[in-house]
Amino acid sequence: MITEPELDGEWEPAGPAEVVQDAVVPGARAPRRPWQWVAAAVVATSALWAGGLYAFGDRTAEPEIRYRVTDDLCGQFKATALEGLLGDLSNAEPGAGIRHPALDWASCTRNSDRPASSGSFYTTAGIELHKKADPAAEFALDTPLSRLFVHDGAWESVPGLGEEALVTPPENGDSLHLQVRDGGAVFTIVVAIYGGSGESAPRVDPLPDPSREDLVAAAVEDARALMAALRKG
């Protein structure tokens, strides 16, 4: 019998979750952009984590709750630093969040209106608020679901950010995954840049090509801003 404390209670979605269809049928609309697929993966990962499928160590102590979760995470996640580095990220789409006695969760994806065929970039931010079990034991855990994002289980430490912060290494190319743990809260920021599909693509401004250091610095700055906006008191 599963007795993990995060399994108590019933799930209460904050809104209807959107089913992402990647298959293409004749006459149907084009497949969704990569960031929409990743956003759906964020939902799946958070739900399984909340379900206690990866329970390691002593997680019976309730963590300190220093943050709140809002249904309008896009109102708090401005991505100002990333937008200054990548360009327009004004197209904001909130994710269908979760409210549960053990865990609250919300997300926001920001992207540009560039034609998909000409290349695109996006950022997704998420917060998981663990209220009954300390997430520290599973924070850096390499799982099959974690590989749905942009890393292969390797991490680099980011000092001075929350209680613990990790970012994917440079081998991930134009993508990164930043995670921050502070008390019972886990913040995630995913950034990705995708190239165009060939010479037939419409003429638009070239894709941004920031250095790895600048991309990480911008993600860290936006993570700090999001944490400050959601901090209680």
Side-chain angles (χ1 to χ4, degrees):
M1 180 186 303
I2 299 177
T3 58
E4 185 63 27
E6 290 189 353
L7 286 176
D8 298 334
E10 297 296 329
W11 288 108
E12 298 178 4
E18 181 181 9
V19 178
V20 177
Q21 301 287 343
D22 285 330
V24 178
V25 248
R29 63 181 181 180
R32 298 185 183 276
R33 292 187 178 186
W35 63 262
Q36 293 173 304
W37 178 86
V38 174
V42 175
V43 176
T45 303
S46 297
L48 287 176
W49 193 353
L53 296 186
Y54 299 105
F56 287 82
D58 181 7
R59 304 178 61 240
T60 58
E62 292 188 4
E64 184 178 351
I65 305 302
R66 303 166 186 160
Y67 300 89
R68 60 187 175 86
V69 174
T70 173
D71 292 336
D72 181 25
L73 193 65
C74 290
Q76 308 298 326
F77 179 57
K78 303 298 186 181
T80 304
L82 285 168
E83 187 171 57
L85 189 65
L86 299 176
D88 176 55
L89 288 169
S90 59
N91 186 12
E93 296 191 18
I98 290 172
R99 297 295 181 272
H100 183 268
L103 181 142
D104 292 342
W105 177 86
S107 75
C108 172
T109 295
R110 288 187 171 276
N111 64 93
S112 68
D113 289 326
R114 297 170 61 96
S117 59
S118 66
S120 61
F121 50 90
Y122 75 89
T123 179
T124 294
I127 176 174
E128 298 170 351
L129 187 59
H130 298 252
K131 296 180 284 188
K132 291 190 176 181
D134 193 334
E138 357 178 273
F139 181 68
L141 185 65
D142 179 28
T143 71
L145 278 175
S146 71
R147 298 173 199 146
L148 285 175
F149 297 103
V150 292
H151 72 93
D152 56 4
W155 291 103
E156 291 181 348
S157 178
V158 180
L161 185 60
E163 291 185 68
E164 185 180 9
L166 303 170
V167 68
T168 47
E171 288 76 10
N172 290 280
D174 292 327
S175 300
L176 70 81
H177 179 186
L178 172 68
Q179 284 193 173
V180 185
R181 179 181 62 82
D182 195 25
V186 175
F187 297 86
T188 299
I189 292 183
V190 176
V191 184
I193 303 172
Y194 292 91
S197 60
E199 296 180 357
S200 61
R203 295 195 60 173
V204 294
D205 294 335
L207 279 169
D209 186 23
S211 69
R212 177 70 182 180
E213 293 76 12
D214 288 344
L215 197 60
V216 172
V220 168
E221 183 176 340
D222 285 337
R224 290 189 193 278
L226 179 61
M227 293 169 70
L230 296 179
R231 192 168 183 95
K232 296 174 65 175

